[in-house]
Amino acid sequence: MATRSALINVMQKASTAASRGMLRDFGETENLQVSRKGPADFVSRADTNAERVIKAELHKARPDWGFLMEESGETSGADSDAPIWIVDPLDGTTNFLHGIPQFAISIAVMDKGIITAGSVYDPIRNELFYAERGQGAYLNERRLRVSGRRHMSESLFGTGIPFLGRGTEDDHKQFIQELSNVMPRCAGIRRYGSAALDMAWVAAGRLDGFWEHGLQIWDIAAGFLIVREAGGFVSDFASRDKALETGDVVTANPTLHAELLKTLRA
């Protein structure tokens, strides 16, 4: 059984506290006060409430650290060397607003440019995926390993589909091409609508791989570390270690990663 560090306990406490109001709101999504941030990009009361609760909890535990948060942007720490919390208070907002029970709270720690800890909490299933650098990845108390599947023909992949206001017409054509490259070679493709959970599910072996373009660092920072600590590979589409910078992510178990990349680029 894993003994959680003080840092993971802080992240779990913040996630659990934020999830209470979120689950209450989820039960009455039709009554949510929703404003529009942009085309097909919603911000809900649940988002902003969760972010406020998480920020208060994390700040109380680590008052000198900075923040990079989806809704409220960047807040500097006590000094330029202080670690920063990278937070997506509700990854899967569109699912949430449509009453689809697939969303998560993502929290990561970046210290001097390196992700050193991450957690992805699924309030519906009460599943906490977490990792610290060099310490392995866990789901609740169970150690995680990426899947052992060796062939694309038996593998299941996750992705994110472009939508209104996301990407250019050329980006959309590129995605259709990638889909038509991967579809005939695999056992299935899933689009769940939360990149943070998709990456956590790769770490847990539920998905064998995942790819998406144009993500934000708060979508993927925690998942990035959790996958790597579960033995998986994460890169951008050029096989570089630049996914956090570019927001373009390809992740899979070590056997399938190169083949998935090659298939996407075919």
Side-chain angles (χ1 to χ4, degrees):
M1 182 178 282
T3 305
R4 290 181 195 169
S5 70
L7 183 60
I8 296 297
N9 283 335
V10 165
M11 293 155 83
Q12 180 192 18
K13 188 178 176 197
S15 299
T16 307
S19 73
R20 291 186 195 113
M22 197 180 281
L23 289 170
R24 202 163 48 240
D25 280 338
F26 184 68
E28 43 183 298
T29 46
E30 66 276 13
N31 300 323
L32 273 178
Q33 303 156 17
V34 179
S35 61
R36 291 294 291 273
K37 270 199 298 195
D41 191 7
F42 302 101
V43 59
S44 66
R45 188 184 71 204
D47 259 315
T48 47
N49 284 355
E51 185 162 292
R52 194 179 64 246
V53 170
I54 291 165
K55 191 170 187 177
E57 287 286 345
L58 297 180
H59 182 69
K60 188 166 67 182
R62 301 287 189 275
D64 296 338
W65 291 15
F67 287 91
L68 176 58
M69 308 186 88
E70 182 178 14
E71 305 304 339
S72 59
E74 201 162 350
T75 311
S76 298
D79 60 64
S80 57
D81 275 348
I84 60 168
W85 297 105
I86 302 175
V87 180
D88 189 341
L90 177 49
D91 186 56
T93 309
T94 306
N95 281 349
F96 186 93
L97 294 176
H98 285 79
I100 296 169
Q102 183 79 359
F103 51 87
I105 296 166
S106 177
I107 302 175
V109 177
M110 182 180 269
D111 192 359
K112 299 179 181 67
I114 294 168
I115 304 296
T116 56
S119 70
V120 173
Y121 180 58
D122 176 348
I124 296 289
R125 298 175 184 85
N126 191 29
E127 290 187 332
L128 182 76
F129 302 84
Y130 62 94
E132 285 182 272
R133 195 161 181 249
Q135 303 297 313
Y138 294 85
L139 164 52
N140 294 339
E141 309 304 331
R142 182 169 63 81
R143 183 78 183 252
L144 290 182
R145 292 296 301 172
V146 291
S147 82
R149 291 186 188 89
R150 307 183 68 82
H151 305 289
M152 282 189 66
S153 60
E154 59 189 21
S155 300
L156 194 60
F157 296 101
T159 190
I161 300 173
F163 50 86
L164 177 66
R166 175 82 171 270
T168 64
E169 193 176 332
D170 283 345
D171 293 332
H172 293 192
K173 284 177 185 167
Q174 181 185 347
F175 174 76
I176 297 298
Q177 184 59 58
E178 289 168 356
L179 210 53
S180 64
N181 290 350
V182 176
M183 277 192 311
R185 293 175 172 83
C186 74
I189 297 174
R190 301 289 182 264
R191 197 281 196 252
Y192 289 119
S194 165
L197 268 182
D198 285 335
M199 292 184 79
W201 283 20
V202 171
R206 296 174 183 175
L207 292 170
D208 300 291
F210 167 78
W211 85 93
E212 189 168 353
H213 295 270
L215 291 162
Q216 300 293 334
I217 190 168
W218 47 76
D219 297 321
I220 56 176
F224 171 91
L225 182 68
I226 294 167
V227 169
R228 287 198 164 172
E229 288 294 323
F233 286 6
V234 187
S235 74
D236 67 3
F237 284 72
S239 201
R240 301 170 304 178
D241 188 11
K242 290 188 179 294
L244 292 175
E245 296 160 48
T246 63
D248 296 336
V249 178
V250 181
T251 178
N253 73 36
T255 313
L256 293 171
H257 185 259
E259 192 180 350
L260 177 58
L261 269 174
K262 189 175 151 189
T263 305
L264 289 166
R265 295 196 300 237

